Structures are given as structure tokens and as C-alpha cells.
Amino acid sequence: MHNIVNNLILINKELSTINNNTKIIAVSKTFSMEHIKPIIDYGHIHFGENKVQEALEKWTKIKDKNNSLKLHLIGKLQTNKVKFCLPLFDFIHSLDSIKLAEKLANEQAKKNFKPKLFIQVNIGEEDQKNGISLKEFENFYKKTEDFELDIIGLMCIPPFVDDTKVFFEKMVQIRDKTNLKELSMGMSNDYLSAAKNSATYLRIGSKIFGARD
Ligand SMILES: *Cc1c(COP(=O)(O)O)cnc(C)c1O
């Protein structure tokens, strides 16, 4: 059996021991469709990309043929790229400004296609990271109600530290102040901890596909 299929099976097995129904987004950025194909054939559904242009080139055809596939945009979305990202992306994890909320609302009406959205939270309050700060969150969340967006949850990329558990716990606290259900958090180095701490979508790249160059 192909190596990356094995990797995915092992992760699924680990997660089943935690006994939750967390979904794995296989983050396929930088890898060619040829490299990704075995786990599509295996039946994996959720895939993640961080660049709109790369995703368009890689996924347009195969999504047309296989409409059970779900594509997630996990990287920054520039407002001028919004028109290219619908209906390609079923999920967008990087809602981080009102300007973007407005653009998405206009574009989803035009295309008659409503992506599911996550608000990105800058959980470590890091200057270099995107996302809504903890101070602004409540106000931002309220403002998004002006648009008819399908916001389903919160997403974070925690600071690069050994133990990210405290950030996952903080995300749960913030989520619990909203009506939102989903939490997109946990990557190759901390997905087990994320799964134990209420993540509902894990974004796993290198642990499945191997190291990126
Ligand atoms: C690349 C990326 C991932 C996956 O990272 P790995 O460490 O390879 O699992 C997850 N989330 C985001 C936002 C990414 O850009």
C-alpha cells in the first residue's frame, strides 16, 4: 500500500483511541496531484491548501469529477482573490476582517454558493500572525452578523512552542461564548493534543504527505 495512505490510516487509528469524531484535513499544499491521488482513491474527503492560485490549478478538474471532495482554504485570503476562490473552496478558515466578510457575502450571492467559514483568531496575540485579536473578537463576531455568512467555527495557529495545549483551551473558552460549534486547530506536531482538547477539524500536512521542501 502507498506510504501516504498508511500514514493516514495510522493517524486515524490514533484518533479513534481518543474516541472523537474529529475530521482530518489533509494539507496538500506544495504537493502535486500525483502525490495526493492515492488518498483520494482511498476515499479521503477533506483537503487543505493555502494558496488560491495553486489550488485552482490542482483541484478544479478533480473536484468536477469527484463532487464528494471538500477543499479547505487554510491560508490568508486577500480580498482581491475572493472571486477566484468560490466555488472552489467549500471551507475557508481565514476570515480575519470585515472587509473580507463583505467581499465574501457579495461573492457568495453572485455565485449562489455559500462556503462554510471559520474566524481566524490570533490566539497567541503575535504581531506577525493573522487573525482577530482576543480584545477585538467579541465586537468582530457581532459585526459579522450583518452579513449572511455561514460561519461555523474558529480557527487558530498557535505560537511555535513545545506545548500548545493552553492555546487550545483558550480557543474552547472563546468558542463557548458564541453559537459556533467547530474548532479548526492542531497540525502535524500537536494534532493529538488538539483532538483531546475539542478540535473538530485537524489540519495535518507533513505527517501525511512527508516533509515539504
Ligand atoms: C501548512 C499548514 C498546516 C499543516 O502543517 P503541518 O505541520 O505540515 O501539518 C496547517 N495549518 C496551516 C494554516 C498551514 O499553513
Side-chain angles (χ1 to χ4, degrees):
M1 198 181 296
H2 201 283
N3 209 354
I4 68 168
V5 176
N6 268 330
N7 295 343
L8 181 66
I9 289 172
L10 285 175
I11 296 170
N12 268 319
K13 219 178 249 170
E14 279 178 307
L15 290 173
S16 69
T17 67
I18 303 175
N19 188 26
N20 66 25
N21 49 9
T22 308
K23 293 178 191 69
I24 297 173
I25 301 168
V27 176
S28 51
K29 64 189 186 196
T30 76
F31 290 103
S32 68
M33 189 42 73
E34 192 186 6
H35 192 79
I36 303 165
K37 196 74 178 9
I39 61 172
I40 297 178
D41 295 341
Y42 171 72
H44 192 72
I45 300 282
H46 294 276
F47 290 86
E49 292 283 342
N50 69 338
K51 294 196 174 121
V52 176
Q53 188 58 37
E54 179 183 346
L56 272 173
E57 287 163 18
K58 263 158 73 175
W59 288 94
T60 301
K61 248 200 240 152
I62 189 139
K63 278 198 83 200
D64 281 345
K65 277 193 291 199
N66 183 344
N67 49 30
S68 60
L69 289 175
K70 301 291 180 202
L71 197 59
H72 297 247
L73 180 62
I74 59 172
K76 173 85 181 163
L77 177 54
Q78 307 289 350
T79 50
N80 62 355
K81 297 271 173 68
V82 167
K83 57 178 177 287
F84 303 114
C85 78
L86 302 185
L88 180 70
F89 288 102
D90 304 281
F91 296 76
I92 295 169
H93 292 238
S94 45
L95 176 57
D96 63 355
S97 73
I98 290 299
K99 194 173 155 209
L100 182 57
E102 200 174 349
K103 282 268 177 183
L104 282 165
N106 288 338
E107 193 65 21
Q108 71 180 14
K110 236 188 254 173
K111 302 266 171 78
N112 196 22
F113 178 87
K114 240 181 178 180
K116 294 182 177 11
L117 306 175
F118 294 81
I119 298 171
Q120 184 169 350
V121 179
N122 187 355
I123 196 67
E125 304 278 16
E126 296 171 281
D127 289 342
Q128 75 277 21
K129 287 237 170 91
N130 298 314
I132 305 298
S133 74
L134 305 184
K135 267 202 323 273
E136 293 165 9
F137 179 79
E138 203 174 335
N139 191 30
F140 180 81
Y141 180 61
K142 236 182 246 150
K143 275 199 210 152
T144 58
E145 286 169 2
D146 296 347
F147 308 95
E148 288 182 14
L149 298 171
D150 188 10
I151 299 175
I152 62 167
L154 305 179
M155 175 271 213
C156 77
I157 306 171
F160 192 69
V161 294
D162 282 341
D163 193 351
T164 43
K165 183 168 186 258
V166 314
F167 300 105
F168 298 149
E169 290 170 342
K170 257 195 208 170
M171 288 293 283
V172 172
Q173 287 172 11
I174 300 169
R175 193 261 327 255
D176 288 348
K177 291 185 198 149
T178 68
N179 305 320
L180 304 173
K181 275 209 344 235
E182 311 296 341
L183 283 174
S184 163
M185 55 192 200
M187 307 180 14
S188 287
N189 56 352
D190 56 9
Y191 64 90
L192 279 179
S193 165
K196 286 176 192 157
N197 288 282
S198 307
T200 60
Y201 286 89
L202 307 168
R203 308 181 309 264
I204 305 180
S206 47
K207 185 93 185 183
I208 297 172
F209 294 108
R212 292 179 293 271
D213 7 81

